[in-house]
Amino acid sequence: MENIKNIKLFLLDMDGTIYLGDQLFDGTIDFLRHVQADGGRYIFLTNNSSKGVEQYIEKLAKLGIPAVREDFLTSVDATIPVLRAEKYRKIYALGTTSFKKQLREEELPITDVLSDDIDCLCMGFDTELTFQKLEDACILLNRDIAYIATNPDWVCPTPFGSVPDCGSISQILQTATGRLPRFIGKPGAAMAELAMQRTGYCKAETAIVGDRLYTDIACGINAGIQSIFVLSGEGTMEDIEKTGVTPTFIFEDIQEIYRQLTQ
């Protein structure tokens, strides 16, 4: 039988798991301090490609959580090695200014202007989306170029509900062009595997914590690690039966996880 107290590496989703908007969930800081005091490690694992890590560090600092670059793995981190390995001539980046900056800093051939030599469309969660970007994407996809997206999330949670995330925008483009992208982030195993490689923990010592069955929990299943489903964000108990995705553990929120760890 699985024992949550055996987990040493916690891969933490952020939106809907440790906070919602600018509201830090009760128990988050207690949980993080306990993991460190117990000799463990946590890494913030997010599919959100609209922000750079520097913005997350700043956001967490405002919420009372000190963090450094090594505390994060994003879907952009997982996408960059793919783009580099496949050696595209020119990549049209459909995403935020931050998204494009992250790719350019890795010396990838990024553009946001249509041209005949573009051979890849790479899409992220774009909170700066315009109709012009959608039109550019349709033109490019009708050329049968490579098509990659950072993450398949349908929505991004906010204090007032949800907004369309990368997966929803990909559905718009599928309706227009008949094409879906190759998704890189969760639920793929790459981010979890990279986290274990960086920290040296094995699968038996690792768990992913998140509020979405189809990304967070499915990532854990695909990576062969334990998964902890929290009901503080998008997912509900009813979703388990609907999707057939079964987590190792289910808790109301991160505070309940902390209480279980310290019993």
Side-chain angles (χ1 to χ4, degrees), residues 187-200:
M191 292 171 72
E193 291 171 348
L194 185 56
M196 288 184 282
Q197 290 170 14
R198 289 186 179 182
T199 59

Side-chain angles (χ1 to χ4, degrees), residues 29-86:
I29 291 178
D30 289 336
F31 168 83
L32 297 177
R33 288 174 177 168
H34 173 78
V35 171
Q36 291 181 320
D38 197 42
R41 176 80 186 274
Y42 55 80
I43 291 181
F44 300 111
L45 214 69
T46 179
N47 263 358
N48 190 333
S49 54
S50 68
K51 303 175 183 178
V53 167
E54 294 77 14
Q55 292 170 276
Y56 280 116
I57 292 173
E58 182 179 344
K59 179 181 178 72
L60 290 185
K62 291 178 180 177
L63 295 174
I65 301 172
V68 296
R69 178 65 180 85
E70 290 70 29
D71 293 328
F72 296 85
L73 275 173
T74 73
S75 60
V76 180
D77 291 328
T79 301
I80 285 167
V82 174
L83 296 176
R84 184 178 291 120
E86 296 181 1

Side-chain angles (χ1 to χ4, degrees), residues 206-246:
T206 304
I208 189 167
V209 185
D211 66 309
R212 300 181 182 190
L213 292 169
Y214 67 94
T215 55
D216 303 316
I217 305 309
C219 173
I221 293 169
N222 290 333
I225 62 175
Q226 298 175 76
S227 57
I228 302 173
F229 182 44
V230 289
L231 303 174
S232 51
E234 179 185 331
T236 66
M237 288 295 293
E238 290 74 20
D239 292 336
I240 296 175
E241 185 174 350
K242 290 177 184 176
T243 64
V245 178
T246 305

Side-chain angles (χ1 to χ4, degrees), residues 137-206:
C138 290
I139 292 169
L140 290 169
L141 293 178
N142 283 325
R143 295 180 187 171
D144 197 32
I145 65 170
Y147 183 21
I148 294 170
T150 56
N151 62 292
D153 301 58
W154 298 116
V155 297
C156 181
T158 74
F160 59 80
S162 298
V163 295
D165 206 323
C166 190
S168 291
I169 303 306
S170 74
Q171 289 293 311
I172 292 174
L173 293 175
Q174 183 191 28
T175 300
T177 69
R179 296 190 60 187
L180 277 174
R182 172 164 44 119
F183 293 109
I184 302 298
K186 299 177 288 186
M191 292 171 72
E193 291 171 348
L194 185 56
M196 288 184 282
Q197 290 170 14
R198 289 186 179 182
T199 59
Y201 288 100
C202 68
K203 291 183 178 183
E205 299 171 301
T206 304

